[in-house]
Structure formats: C-alpha cells, structure tokens
Amino acid sequence: MPIVALRDVSKTYPARGRNEKEVRAIQSVDLDIEAGEIYGIIGYSGAGKSTLVRLVNALERATSGSIQVNGTEITTLPERELRKLRLGIGMIFQQFNLFNSKTVWKNIEYPLEVAGVPVAERNARISDLLHFVGLADKAGNYPDQLSGGQKQRVGIARALATSPSILLADEATSALDPETTLEVLALLKRVNEEFGTTIIVITHEMDVIKTIAHKVAVMEQGRVIETGTVFDVFSDP
Ligand code: ADP
Ligand code: ADP
C-alpha cells in the first residue's frame, strides 16, 4: 500500500478580489508514493507543486478528491487529528525557516517540546541528530552564524526530530550553490537509506531530481502530466 495516495484531487483557491479569478492550482491529480521512496515532483513555478505538498501535510484542504497518508484518509479529519498527522511528517524549506533567535540546539528541540518528549530523551535525541548531520560542534551557535548548507542541515535535523515517516522537501536546495546542493542531497540520501524515510522532493531543478529521486512526477498547470522512474521520464525516446 502506498504511504501517500492521491485520487482525483483538485484544489481551487477562491478569487482574492472582485477582479480576480479563482485559481485551479491542482486538477484531477492521481499519485501513488511508496514507502521508502525518494519521489521527485518537478515543474515550473506556478505548476502546483507547493500546493500539492501543502495538501499532503494538510496545511491546505483539498477542494475534492481523496488523499491517504499512512493509510488514513486525511481530507475528512478534524483539525485536532491533523496536528497529530503533521508530527509524522517533517518539512524542510528553501529559506530554511529556522528560528533566528534560537540556537541550533533549541531549533532542533522545538518539535520535541511541542510533541511533549521528556527532557532527558530530548537531549539524547538532539545530540544524536547533531552528530548525524555533522554539526555537533555548532549546538550553541545561532543560525546567522552558519553557512547556507549548515542551516539546511539544521533544518533537516529539526525535521527528523520526531522521527517522521515522511519528509517533504520544498525547493530545499534552491537557495544553495551547486556544491552545497550536492552535500545536502547526499545527506537526504543517507536519511532515506538509514531510516527508511519516504522523501518527497519538490523542485524546478532537473539536476536535483536526477541526482536523488527514484521516481518522478512532472507537473504542468496543476496537472501531473507524466510519472515514472527518472530513467523513463528523462531519457529521450
Ligand atoms: P509551484 O509550487 O509549482 O510554484 P503553487 O502551488 O505555489 O505552484 O501555485 C499554483 C497556483 O496556485 C499558482 O497559480 C499560484 O499563484 C496559485 N496559488 C498558490 N497559493 C495560493 C493561495 N494561497 N491563494 C491563491 N492562489 C494561490
Ligand atoms: P530551558 O529549556 O529551560 O530554556 P536550557 O536552555 O538550559 O533550558 O536547555 C534545556 C536542556 O538543553 C538542558 O538540559 C541543556 O543541557 C540542553 N542544552 C541546551 N543547549 C545546549 C547545547 N548547546 N549543547 C548541549 N546541550 C544543550
């Protein structure tokens, strides 16, 4: 059974003003993502990639269709249950979204506090994560004392804190130079291999998908126009 399954999913944003039209951001999308896959979603800006991700972690409600995550139909879940669901889904972002007034340690601790994890367990977990992402010596630093690649490694550690089964990466390397991009992608590969985390990588960069994804969906104007292995989708016929 897929860990993420979308059936005939559409999302229409209402018109923002009197002279604007509603936006059909996602139209009739079917998608199956198997547990343990690194699944790439590629498309130009405005194709609907971020909307798709926000539907999977229920930051947005679908207008119609079915979305199952970890076997649970999420489109009909009450908000209280959705909060639980989100603890099982990690997210990393283009602009890292770290708390700049918190140390690296405190950034990683935040989701553990929210989840109510006891302090001793928290400390052990944070220490493990810092070693895993290679930042054990940066625990007391603030984000603005770190390079972009280091910031994203903190973002990854924070996203993994509650041991999510799914990690959503929304343009997570788009603010990084090519060399740092490869480092971060290598780290994501290790996450996938060592913890079996399903990783969904949203990007407009073909090279990112080619480097890391097992499967890929190509989005255009709110629709998935092609899916398959990276080899199938990107090799010329
Ligand atoms: P992508 O991530 O591929 O750039 P998005 O999902 O961000 O695509 O956007 C898809 C379409 O939905 C775009 O036309 C965008 O302007 C529109 N859109 C995204 N978020 C909103 C919103 N909150 N309200 C209205 N329109 C939105
Ligand atoms: P509070 O959460 O009440 O603000 P602290 O800031 O002292 O308390 O941190 C809570 C826990 O996190 C403590 O057990 C502390 O040892 C640990 N901790 C905080 N920062 C670091 C760090 N840079 N390196 C190692 N452990 C840290």
Side-chain angles (χ1 to χ4, degrees):
M1 193 177 58
I3 191 165
V4 175
L6 279 70
R7 289 291 172 276
D8 201 13
V9 172
S10 296
K11 171 69 184 179
T12 302
Y13 293 108
R16 278 189 261 221
R18 187 183 282 269
N19 298 318
E20 307 239 342
K21 279 198 254 168
E22 59 180 25
V23 178
R24 301 170 79 179
I26 299 285
Q27 296 185 56
S28 306
V29 164
D30 293 311
L31 199 64
D32 283 318
I33 299 177
E34 300 295 331
E37 270 179 345
I38 301 181
Y39 201 106
I41 297 176
I42 191 164
Y44 295 118
S45 177
K49 307 182 297 296
S50 293
T51 299
L52 195 69
V53 167
R54 293 203 302 271
L55 289 171
V56 168
N57 67 6
L59 290 175
E60 295 281 359
R61 292 270 188 185
T63 308
S64 60
S66 153
I67 303 174
Q68 295 198 355
V69 178
N70 279 321
T72 302
E73 176 66 42
I74 67 166
T75 51
T76 50
L77 280 186
E79 187 59 31
R80 209 168 52 85
E81 299 291 317
L82 291 179
R83 254 174 265 140
K84 246 187 275 168
L85 167 94
R86 287 187 205 111
L87 287 175
I89 302 180
M91 271 206 91
I92 54 174
F93 308 89
Q94 178 168 7
Q95 295 307 329
F96 320 119
N97 295 20
L98 301 177
F99 301 108
N100 288 316
S101 61
K102 289 182 191 276
T103 60
V104 166
W105 179 280
K106 287 286 181 185
N107 266 278
I108 302 171
E109 187 170 40
Y110 181 75
L112 295 167
E113 278 181 319
V114 172
V117 176
V119 171
E121 207 177 307
R122 255 164 29 202
N123 289 349
R125 180 76 185 140
I126 299 163
S127 178
D128 283 353
L129 286 162
L130 282 170
H131 282 97
F132 180 75
V133 301
L135 292 176
D137 57 336
K138 301 289 184 196
N141 285 75
Y142 288 85
D144 66 6
Q145 299 170 313
L146 304 179
S147 69
Q150 289 172 334
K151 283 183 203 172
Q152 196 55 294
R153 283 191 270 153
V154 176
I156 291 169
R158 183 181 60 179
L160 294 177
T162 54
S163 305
S165 54
I166 301 171
L167 178 63
L168 302 174
D170 190 356
E171 299 284 1
T173 56
S174 298
L176 305 174
D177 62 60
E179 198 183 30
T180 311
T181 292
L182 288 178
E183 279 172 29
V184 167
L185 293 179
L187 178 58
L188 290 177
K189 257 187 192 161
R190 268 177 58 217
V191 169
N192 172 255
E193 282 161 9
E194 291 189 28
F195 309 127
T197 314
T198 305
I199 304 182
I200 304 177
V201 176
I202 304 293
T203 183
H204 64 281
E205 295 172 302
M206 181 119 68
D207 285 346
V208 166
I209 299 286
K210 284 183 170 172
T211 302
I212 195 173
H214 305 130
K215 297 264 187 62
V216 60
V218 183
M219 290 197 72
E220 212 176 275
Q221 295 180 10
R223 296 180 185 276
V224 170
I225 58 165
E226 195 176 354
T227 60
T229 64
V230 169
F231 181 82
D232 288 342
V233 171
F234 292 130
S235 59
D236 293 320

